[in-house]
Amino acid sequence: MPLRTSISDRGAILLGNSVACDAFDETRPLRVVTHAHADHLVGLRRSLKSCEKVLMTKATKDLIEVLKGPRTFNLGTTEQLEYGKSIEYNNEQITLIKANHILGAAQVLVENKKGNRVAYTGDFKNRTKPIEDCDTLVVEATYGIPSFKRSFNLDISELLVSMIEKRLRTGNVYVFGYYGKLQEVMQILRSAHVHVPFVMPERILEVSEVCKRHGMNLGDLTLSSDNNGKELLEKNLPCVAFYHMNKRKSIGIESSRICVSGWEFRLPCKQIGRKEHLVALSDHSDFEELIEYIRRSKPKKVITDNYRVKHGDVLAKEIHKRLGIPARAMPNRNCKQLTSFF
Ligand SMILES: [Zn+2]
């Protein structure tokens, strides 16, 4: 009998008999957190209170401590798992495998002694090594419809560096994005020898310090509330200011502004305001890259995640059509019989 696999109505990816990934499930003694983005931390407090253990990488734990507060993990027991290392629980082996997404992101593989294998990709972008030959693979579906295909074949990093360098000649540049993506931009700039000060509010600085401790090259960071940071921003001196996307409407209105987002497929860069551009830097695979992962992974069956975005249905149909692999979206809001398919 293959290991059971499904996605609950509340977004928990259930692998085998014991594991729930990325949302709370009262029937499972183990919770895995694949990475520190909010839509993968669903019900974390309840999991900490009621599960035997909550598993994640050290980097993910460090990021969550910054984002959710240092006492978050006092509620329960956690175990840090390195990539490629396994733990045994109730005759099943659980392994975290690196996903190319944000710092600490992992795919999850559950196997039993009979050689049955089920896995969940978590969020991932291209150059993530596929988990091969699973009985059932659960795959993220963020860009799960065929039109979500990037039509440009251009090095976004180079474009981003040249745009920012050009704007630094006349003063500061504000970059808006989500946690993880902002730190990726910092690393891209430092790797391209952009040495101007990086200015940011406290939360983003704390997240960035975690990224530095885990090996990312972000250089020196300046707090926007420090005298030095205030002066750089108020006098429009050359520096890059990093802010969360939700501050876009209220901060740096008169400055040069760049928003980094994967939700653009036609152009690598487009103007969205007077001095504001969107750059299509994504931390998710586009539609073609999702299909390519599954092609290389060669699973017997696929479940697409229809909880975090609503493209799971389309992706499942396309997987079946293009690869001949049985696939369905879960949870299926049109169908009450969620568990009977596989
Ligand atoms: Zn994510």
Side-chain angles (χ1 to χ4, degrees), residues 35 37 40 101 123 284:
H35 65 288
H37 279 152
H40 297 259
H101 180 55
D123 287 350
H284 289 271

Side-chain angles (χ1 to χ4, degrees), residues 33-139:
V33 180
T34 61
H35 65 288
H37 279 152
D39 56 340
H40 297 259
L41 304 180
V42 180
L44 179 60
R45 292 169 68 84
R46 288 187 74 186
S47 295
L48 283 161
K49 281 184 191 160
S50 71
C51 291
E52 264 178 58
K53 265 190 249 180
V54 180
L55 306 171
M56 67 200 88
T57 62
K58 169 89 170 83
T60 293
K61 188 177 179 204
D62 290 349
L63 287 172
I64 293 170
E65 276 179 347
V66 167
L67 295 169
K68 293 268 190 189
R71 288 204 288 277
T72 305
F73 292 113
N74 294 353
L75 292 168
T77 305
T78 59
E79 182 166 333
Q80 295 157 27
L81 256 186
E82 283 176 41
Y83 293 130
K85 295 265 163 59
S86 304
I87 66 156
E88 290 271 335
Y89 188 94
N90 215 357
N91 296 320
E92 291 174 1
Q93 185 172 297
I94 300 122
T95 312
L96 301 187
I97 295 164
K98 187 173 170 54
N100 194 15
H101 180 55
I102 63 164
L103 179 76
Q107 309 180 79
V108 187
L109 172 65
V110 175
E111 302 163 280
N112 65 12
K113 299 236 160 41
K114 293 176 186 154
N116 299 123
R117 291 157 64 83
V118 293
Y120 167 45
T121 63
D123 287 350
F124 69 98
K125 65 176 169 181
N126 57 349
R127 296 195 297 278
T128 295
K129 191 169 185 297
I131 299 175
E132 293 181 10
D133 300 320
C134 289
D135 299 304
T136 306
L137 175 73
V138 181
V139 68

